[in-house]
Amino acid sequence: MTDTKPIRRIAIIGTGVIGASWSSLFLAKGLQVVATDIAPNAEAALRKFVETAWPALTRLGLSPGASQANLKFTSDIAQALAGADLVQENGPERIEFKQKLYGQLDELLPPDVIIASSSSGLTMSEIQKGAASHPERCVIAHPFNPPHLIPLVEIVGGAKTSEVTKQRAAEFYTSIGQRTVRLNKEMPGHVANRLQAALSREVYYLVAEGVVSAADVDTALSWGPGLRWGVMGSMMLNHLGGGPGGIEHFFQQFTGPMTAWWKTLGSPVLTPEVQKKLIDSVHAEAGSRTIVELEAERDEILLGLIELRKKAAKPS
């Protein structure tokens, strides 16, 4: 571990869905959270989100000192930042807004406090231009929604982010049970969202072309490769797919067919007509189930999978 002050107090900037989920996670890990947002009724919405998320977090296991009482809220950003050990920024995905905000954060915070952005679509090299004094402490720490359940955090530095900052960020998120991946270079959308986008492109193409319905393509994914992806990633599954010969035999056997399929993958144009076809097919799949009901179904199964993976990961 690097020789730095322990991270115990988190300032949450922006308490929308991602900020509220981060707040819930940090509280469950026994940390102090001070949140700020200027939106109307932001505090009430945040506290309701945390209260609703708490049973799932309790099921996954609360850390010593975990308490909803450790959440404070203020509309004054300077008050939120006072005494913070790390800032988790969840502001709007607009570069002008981010740069202005980072200038403000840079002025108000001591130079050793990490400013971590949840941004999924902007690069830190552009964001940190707003932090003229200490851009080296700014880093992307991109979660996967909802972060209080999904443990993935993508760590991406900008052109001026220090190696110490990236290491400290990775150590912090790992210490609270998150699974971190470090990108060696910036890419639009980082990694996980790029993988999703690649898959979504073919899903939309197959439905738009009338090859399959939304219900059937979702069945093909969630009851086929999706089951395996919930256990191991694509590269390791390829290694197993090669049998006793491993990844070497996999490439010997499947390079030809796989690259032939690549040439037929679609590039759909999401015209209003195509979008309507996709939307209608999704509503047919959802039927009478509400968003709330679908979320509950997703989260219940997800919790079981996380519990199973945690159990399997423990040394025997």
Side-chain angles (χ1 to χ4, degrees), residues 135-151:
E136 73 282 350
R137 43 88 166 269
C138 302
V139 66
I140 295 286
H142 174 246
F144 222 52
N145 191 32
H148 72 280
L149 295 182
I150 305 289

Side-chain angles (χ1 to χ4, degrees), residues 7 25 32 36 42 98 104 112 121 125-126 129 146 152 155 158 170 175 185 189 197 210-211 213-214 251 283 293:
I7 295 173
L25 174 69
Q32 301 286 325
T36 185
K98 294 273 196 194
Q104 189 177 9
D112 62 338
S125 289
E126 288 299 312
K129 289 179 180 178
L152 178 66
I155 307 294
S175 75
K185 60 176 68 176
V211 175
S213 66
F251 282 128
H283 282 298
E293 290 170 337

